[in-house]
Amino acid sequence: MERTLIILKPDAVQRQLVGRIIGRFEDKGLKIVGAKMRRIPRETLERHYSDHLGKPFYERLLAFMSKDPVLILALEGKNAIAVCRKMMGATFGSKAEAGTIRGDFGISDSFNLIHGSDSPEAAAKELKLFFAADELVSYDIISAPWIYDEDELAPGPPGRSRTPH
Ligand code: CMP
């Protein structure tokens, strides 16, 4: 199981798309293990977007992201990082495929509704930046055996079943 950091950006909050976007992740079988609504301080955004420092859109990006509250989520599931990125769609709303979150809900290239970690390294860094360890909650969901094959839920290498058939 993998965890990823998702931010529903100020445009998603202002356009009241939060429920519909979270619903897509829940429908997929991803589990919410952390959630908080915040206005992100500039200093945190500078750390989060350090790779974009110096790019032409950097200042506008920070102004947009700090202007209004966002919903910050930690999601857990099998291949959660790649699965969420696929569900989000391409960065630019005008280019994102129909069926993806950006493809279905947005057309702007800078107000693109959602952020998701793009690698395990980024997920580890971003989860730490936005959540204290005790703000992430481990729990079982009762539908897990219907979302996953039991082999996928079992600890240890794939193929090792928890219960003998
Ligand atoms: P995200 O991929 O979450 O993180 C970087 C953000 O920068 C990206 O979403 C967009 O919101 C923004 N961004 C990236 N490229 C551009 C661009 N060319 N013009 C404006 N905003 C951009």
Side-chain angles (χ1 to χ4, degrees), residues 13-97:
V13 173
Q14 288 293 338
R15 292 181 54 204
Q16 299 183 282
L17 293 170
V18 163
R20 277 186 276 170
I21 295 173
I22 292 178
R24 288 187 173 212
F25 291 126
E26 289 193 312
D27 287 349
K28 181 72 175 169
L30 291 154
K31 179 165 67 177
I32 301 168
V33 294
K36 56 168 85 164
M37 186 118 189
R38 292 283 186 282
R39 194 172 265 111
I40 309 179
R42 183 176 168 108
E43 185 189 278
T44 307
L45 288 170
E46 284 172 358
R47 291 172 65 189
H48 178 61
Y49 285 124
S50 57
D51 290 350
H52 297 294
L53 180 66
K55 293 187 183 167
F57 57 85
Y58 178 79
E59 278 306 328
R60 280 182 52 234
L61 174 62
L62 263 59
F64 157 58
M65 287 295 294
S66 58
K67 183 174 157 54
D68 273 311
V70 299
L71 187 72
I72 308 165
L73 299 170
L75 299 182
E76 184 182 286
K78 185 181 178 187
N79 292 332
I81 297 166
V83 165
C84 288
R85 294 281 297 183
K86 199 166 180 181
M87 290 175 71
M88 288 161 47
T91 301
F92 294 154
S94 64
K95 305 249 166 53
E97 288 284 322

Side-chain angles (χ1 to χ4, degrees), residues 88-109:
M88 288 161 47
T91 301
F92 294 154
S94 64
K95 305 249 166 53
E97 288 284 322
T100 65
I101 292 164
R102 289 169 175 155
D104 287 352
F105 294 132
I107 199 160
S108 168
D109 293 344

